Amino acid sequence: MSSADPPRPADPRARAAQTKRDRTRRALLDAADATFGSRGWARTRIEDVAAAAGVSAATAYNHFPSKHTLIGHVFAPLVHPLFVQAERDVAADRPVVAALEDQIRALARTTSRHRELAASFFAAVQDYTIRVEGPADPTDEIDPRLLAPVPDAIRILVEHGQDTGALRPYPAAGDMATIVVNTMLTRAMNRPDETADARAELLLTILFGALCPEMLLDAATEGRPFRRRS
């Protein structure tokens, strides 16, 4: 058990109940991963996920009160390692260009490998944003934007680069991170045949075109320093 895990109940019956609850939650997350990944956001209901997990709809709603919450919890593990790596890169004062390139290439691979799931997550974010008519509220525990904060890894790296002078101070780190992630997820929906390398090159060009445009002026790279040749 990790230090972040809640303590297990001392009473054997309580432990057994908690184990059952944990297993049910895991079954729902696994079923949601498969169902959203195959059927998409609009055609998936919590009732469908419950049936795939072998539990009642009431049980599913007890664990996850909405589709938005469920997709947020499903998508979060895909992006959490990127955030951890970004924090490590900042702590090690790794060159920001290399760190951001690795981040965006990794996110491009993730959105390619899990294209339908990424598209479902983006649809959930758009739908939830329309419903609440505004930015994320830090106290909202069911907002998918907070459950799986995809832009955060890019944001903290850009902030670090701006603080150290390696990147231009404008646009703001949060704005750039959001632009990059929204474009990444939109292309995951609309460009199913686009390769991860092509997607990453486009987003890296947008990012550094705004924050470090001199990189794109190198004649030796023909203005495409992030192109990977096969």
Side-chain angles (χ1 to χ4, degrees), residues 26-98:
R26 182 72 264 162
L28 284 165
L29 289 170
D30 290 344
D33 189 333
T35 307
F36 282 122
S38 62
R39 300 180 61 172
W41 171 254
R43 292 186 297 155
T44 297
R45 304 172 305 157
I46 282 195
E47 289 79 2
D48 301 321
V49 175
V55 301
S56 69
T59 296
Y61 278 109
N62 185 47
H63 284 267
F64 302 102
S66 72
K67 278 206 310 180
H68 303 88
T69 311
L70 184 53
I71 191 68
H73 280 286
V74 170
F75 204 70
L78 297 179
V79 296
H80 180 69
L82 302 180
F83 182 78
V84 172
Q85 185 59 52
E87 289 190 316
R88 289 174 179 167
D89 287 341
V90 169
D93 199 25
R94 186 182 178 205
V96 70
V97 173

Side-chain angles (χ1 to χ4, degrees), residues 96-109 154 157-158 167 176 179-181 183-184 187 196-216 223-228:
V96 70
V97 173
L100 278 166
E101 182 172 1
D102 283 353
Q103 276 286 330
I104 291 176
R105 290 195 186 281
L107 185 58
R109 289 192 298 270
I154 296 171
L157 287 171
V158 172
L167 301 176
M176 282 308 308
I179 289 168
V180 167
V181 168
T183 305
M184 181 84 73
R187 294 182 78 85
D197 282 343
R199 191 172 299 161
E201 182 192 359
L202 175 66
L203 272 299
L204 287 163
T205 302
I206 291 171
L207 177 68
F208 287 107
L211 298 175
C212 193
E214 53 271 24
M215 287 186 64
L216 306 183
R224 297 180 65 175
F226 303 105
R227 177 169 52 173
R228 285 191 169 175

